[in-house]
Amino acid sequence: MVYSIVDLSLHKLWSNLLNRSRIRYMLCFIWLGLYSGQLFAQDLTKIAQQKPFAFQGNLELRGMFYGASGIPNRLEPVNYLINGSPTFTFYGWSVPTNFTISKKETTFQQPFNQFGLSPTYKWITLHAGYRNINFSPYTLAGHTILGGGIELTPGKLRFGMMYGRLNRATVIDTSSMSLVPFSFSRKGIALKIGYGTANNFFDLNILHAKDDSTTNPDGLTFVGNRVTPAANSVLSYGTRITVFRNFFIESDAAISLLTRDINSRLSLDSIEDKTLRQLSNLLDINGTSEWFLAFSAGGGYRAKDYAVKVNYRRVEPGFTSMGAYYFTNDIENLTIAPSYNHPKGYIRFQGNVGLEQDNVRLQKESTSRRWIASANLSSDVTKQLGIDVQFSNYSNNQKPNTLRFADSLKIVQTTRTLGIVPRYTISNEDAVHLILLSANFNAMNDYNSYFDNTGNAPSRDINSTQYLLNYTLSLLKNHATVNSNLSYTHLNSQAIKNSYKGIGVGGTYVLLNNKMTTGFNMNYLLGEANANKSNIFNSSFNLAFKLNKLQAIRAMVYFTNNNPGSVITGGQPAFTETRGEIAYQLNFGL
């Protein structure tokens, strides 16, 4: 509960700071100026030893062409894309940048044209523009942010700060009158402070983000299910401790406070949580505010050839962090993961087994529990023969908690997957032959007693098999590769029976003293689903040419013909598509 009070107090403090832009920017510049002045002064004596200027990176220009027959165009007939990643270096300061420019912005929430840089000097890194920063799994976790920040790692100190825009406001598409996607402008600040190394550390992380309800350009009061401006504060810690070199303990935990509608008129009396009521003096909260917990901890032993890890994770339903794109919540699991590598590499094994369930707050009418088991085994039997095996098994058992419901709604299922991939290699000075066979078996079995007792109910089991035979020939002296494959897939259930047979061939050839590379691929797939036959033909051709050490051009043509067979009302008609691409790439360095 101490963490909750600290988190909520910071939430109120940051909310005030976010509404005082002049003070915020003045403090940031004063702080950075004073602190950076002290840092740079320590290295001025060595500045003469640094290279004054360096410049390297790459630039790519792509032109794309598209045409379709039988269906409306799914892409623009003509489009272009320019992207690059130049890096500048000034007296030891490394300034990596990247940019992407397209014909027009896409219809997603974030713009497609993005520019950003992260200059680095020793243990100092600055961020500006569009950046993807990862402070912790529960706060700022790889979310694209438009803004600025700094990371400092002098010695064992670990410090980071980012401020900027997480989402931009989106408007109605006037051409289609579409209301989706829709979002308010969302800004946030993230802070990380810790101490330690990669194997032993302790970090505190804080995130506060808030939607700007004034960025609704059309004054909408509803959008679909009504999108409302929200606010979120998250306080988390992360730690890892290594003992005696081989034993380790690690943990991450967070408390997240979410206000779903910052403009809601619901009073505090509508909140059942007494903690939020008591802390109302420290927070601007309302009847839509709620807090959630997430926790994970694990430990294990790691040696040279083998390791074992035990991990526990619990994420409450509704847990949200605006600094991450997605969270799997309402989940609790306990897993054990052993692994083993033979000293000479003959056998490699990784496994995972555990128990998982949902309904961690007991708010649902039923709880689903399932066993989790998976294993990967790889073995080199001889120098020529090897085999890889993958296995997974998931059993799901749903049981009622306080309410009874019909037996037909119970879920008792098991899903199994088995993959076997033997491979055989023959090699000499002139050629390498690789033969690979892949067999995959998938089964979903329903053990619901309701269907078993009736005797007349249709089975809900689903089984599928897939086989692939691939042969690859590499001619080392001729710089050529040829490959071919045969495939077969079969899906069987009470309602659906379909199969697909395929054949493919392709190859690459390098000529003109390794300056030119050509390649092609052709694949034909024959399908049969409930007596309806279909076929798909795909082919592609590509060409790449190195003009010199710095420049290269490439071209690609892709063609597909899809004939779904008998067209049912509302189904997809037969169509052909052609895509082309021409690209120029420049690698530079000074």
Side-chain angles (χ1 to χ4, degrees):
M1 197 57 63
V2 175
Y3 292 126
S4 302
I5 296 175
V6 174
D7 183 34
L8 301 176
S9 301
L10 289 171
H11 170 83
K12 185 174 183 180
L13 174 62
W14 281 341
S15 297
N16 293 332
L17 289 176
L18 291 177
N19 294 327
R20 300 175 183 177
S21 59
R22 291 185 178 180
I23 296 177
R24 181 180 68 249
Y25 286 117
M26 289 177 63
L27 290 176
C28 288
F29 279 114
I30 292 173
W31 183 86
L32 287 174
L34 293 176
Y35 198 77
S36 60
Q38 298 174 2
L39 296 175
F40 300 152
Q42 298 175 4
D43 295 301
L44 289 177
T45 57
K46 300 180 180 180
I47 195 171
Q49 303 175 7
Q50 302 289 341
K51 188 176 181 180
F53 176 76
F55 177 56
Q56 61 183 2
N58 63 77
L59 174 69
E60 185 180 60
L61 292 79
R62 297 166 57 189
M64 293 162 282
F65 311 93
Y66 173 82
S69 175
I71 59 172
N73 285 351
R74 296 190 284 189
L75 299 173
E76 290 194 1
V78 180
N79 201 352
Y80 68 84
L81 184 69
I82 304 174
N83 60 68
S85 57
T87 299
F88 305 87
T89 304
F90 303 94
Y91 288 100
W93 273 88
S94 178
V95 186
T97 64
N98 58 76
F99 63 88
T100 302
I101 303 174
S102 64
K103 184 177 181 181
K104 66 177 183 178
E105 293 182 355
T106 65
T107 58
F108 297 110
Q109 292 183 358
Q110 302 301 319
F112 191 66
N113 301 327
Q114 298 183 355
F115 305 87
L117 68 157
S118 295
T120 301
Y121 184 80
K122 294 187 176 180
W123 45 266
I124 309 169
T125 301
L126 301 177
H127 301 290
Y130 285 96
R131 299 284 83 190
N132 298 94
I133 308 299
N134 191 350
F135 282 173
S136 78
Y138 294 126
T139 56
L140 186 59
H143 197 292
T144 298
I145 182 171
L146 173 60
I150 185 172
E151 288 189 78
L152 306 173
T153 56
K156 294 184 178 182
L157 178 65
R158 301 151 63 93
F159 175 82
M161 183 178 68
M162 281 296 295
Y163 171 78
R165 189 186 71 191
L166 296 168
N167 283 339
R168 70 169 183 171
T170 55
V171 299
I172 297 178
D173 187 345
T174 56
S175 61
S176 63
M177 297 308 294
S178 173
L179 300 179
V180 179
F182 176 84
S183 67
F184 295 95
S185 176
R186 174 178 296 170
K187 295 181 179 179
I189 182 171
L191 179 67
K192 170 185 177 180
I193 184 167
Y195 184 83
T197 63
N199 295 324
N200 294 275
F201 66 86
F202 181 84
D203 295 334
L204 280 176
N205 299 274
I206 304 172
L207 170 76
H208 175 68
K210 184 179 180 181
D211 290 338
D212 185 357
S213 59
T214 63
T215 57
N216 185 343
D218 300 293
L220 297 176
T221 58
F222 67 91
V223 179
N225 294 328
R226 191 173 189 269
V227 178
T228 57
N232 179 226
S233 293
V234 186
L235 173 65
S236 76
Y237 78 81
T239 183
R240 181 183 176 93
I241 301 174
T242 303
V243 184
F244 305 122
R245 296 185 180 181
N246 299 108
F247 293 93
F248 65 91
I249 300 173
E250 56 189 21
S251 176
D252 288 281
I255 178 171
S256 172
L257 175 68
L258 177 65
T259 300
R260 293 182 172 86
D261 186 357
I262 58 179
N263 296 329
S264 175
R265 297 181 180 179
L266 293 176
S267 63
L268 295 176
D269 295 336
S270 60
I271 298 179
E272 298 180 359
D273 196 316
K274 296 181 180 180
T275 304
L276 289 180
R277 291 185 183 182
Q278 294 173 356
L279 298 175
S280 59
N281 294 330
L282 302 176
L283 277 174
D284 296 327
I285 61 176
N286 55 41
T288 67
S289 301
E290 191 175 0
W291 59 274
F292 310 92
L293 295 174
F295 175 79
S296 65
Y301 179 84
R302 180 170 297 164
K304 181 179 179 181
D305 302 322
Y306 62 93
V308 61
K309 180 181 178 181
V310 180
N311 192 76
Y312 171 79
R313 182 167 64 114
R314 186 181 190 273
V315 182
E316 293 185 344
F319 182 90
T320 301
S321 174
M322 290 183 176
Y325 284 108
Y326 175 76
F327 269 106
T328 301
N329 52 39
D330 193 14
I331 190 172
E332 184 177 22
N333 60 41
L334 177 65
T335 58
I336 301 175
S339 63
Y340 172 75
N341 290 324
H342 191 274
K344 295 185 179 181
Y346 294 145
I347 298 176
R348 296 171 295 276
F349 171 80
Q350 287 184 338
N352 191 308
V353 62
L355 180 64
E356 182 178 272
Q357 70 175 28
D358 64 353
N359 197 19
V360 298
R361 279 191 170 184
L362 300 179
Q363 296 173 329
K364 297 180 179 179
E365 296 181 357
S366 62
T367 300
S368 296
R369 297 183 177 89
R370 65 173 184 167
W371 281 98
I372 306 171
S374 63
N376 296 323
L377 175 65
S378 180
S379 175
D380 295 326
V381 182
T382 65
K383 292 183 178 180
Q384 292 79 27
L385 179 63
I387 186 170
D388 300 315
V389 180
Q390 295 180 342
F391 173 79
S392 65
N393 183 85
Y394 300 95
S395 63
N396 188 19
N397 187 1
Q398 185 182 87
K399 296 182 179 180
N401 290 329
T402 58
L403 299 178
R404 290 182 173 272
F405 49 80
D407 288 343
S408 60
L409 299 180
K410 287 185 179 180
I411 299 177
V412 183
Q413 295 176 340
T414 298
T415 303
R416 292 186 301 273
T417 301
L418 175 62
I420 304 174
V421 185
R423 59 188 186 278
Y424 190 78
T425 305
I426 303 174
S427 61
N428 52 50
E429 296 180 356
D430 298 327
V432 176
H433 305 262
L434 173 62
I435 303 174
L436 185 145
L437 175 63
S438 174
N440 293 276
F441 308 92
N442 301 275
M444 194 285 290
N445 300 115
D446 194 315
Y447 299 103
N448 196 321
S449 59
Y450 173 84
F451 291 93
D452 293 339
N453 294 334
T454 59
N456 297 321
S459 171
R460 300 197 296 182
D461 295 349
I462 300 176
N463 296 277
S464 66
T465 56
Q466 183 181 44
Y467 301 96
L468 173 66
L469 177 61
N470 185 84
Y471 169 72
T472 301
L473 171 63
S474 298
L475 302 175
L476 304 180
K477 294 184 179 181
N478 296 327
H479 304 286
T481 301
V482 179
N483 62 81
S484 59
N485 64 80
L486 297 172
S487 64
Y488 176 78
T489 302
H490 180 71
L491 176 66
N492 184 27
S493 69
Q494 187 71 22
I496 301 175
K497 291 184 179 181
N498 56 36
S499 62
Y500 295 93
K501 304 173 184 177
I503 184 173
V505 62
T508 60
Y509 183 56
V510 181
L511 61 162
L512 299 179
N513 294 325
N514 296 328
K515 289 186 177 181
M516 179 179 290
T517 303
T518 61
F520 76 97
N521 278 287
M522 293 187 294
N523 293 278
Y524 179 76
L525 190 66
L526 178 63
E528 183 175 354
N530 296 331
N532 180 40
K533 295 184 177 181
S534 62
N535 59 80
I536 302 175
F537 175 75
N538 294 319
S539 64
S540 64
F541 175 79
N542 58 79
L543 172 69
F545 184 78
K546 294 181 180 180
L547 300 175
N548 48 48
K549 293 182 179 180
L550 303 179
Q551 303 177 83
I553 57 175
R554 72 172 189 271
M556 185 273 291
V557 177
Y558 178 85
F559 173 81
T560 181
N561 178 272
N562 189 338
N563 186 357
S566 302
V567 178
I568 305 173
T569 304
Q572 190 180 56
F575 68 92
T576 60
E577 279 184 317
T578 304
R579 290 188 290 114
E581 180 179 308
I582 299 177
Y584 167 79
Q585 184 172 2
L586 172 64
N587 298 310
F588 44 83
L590 295 176

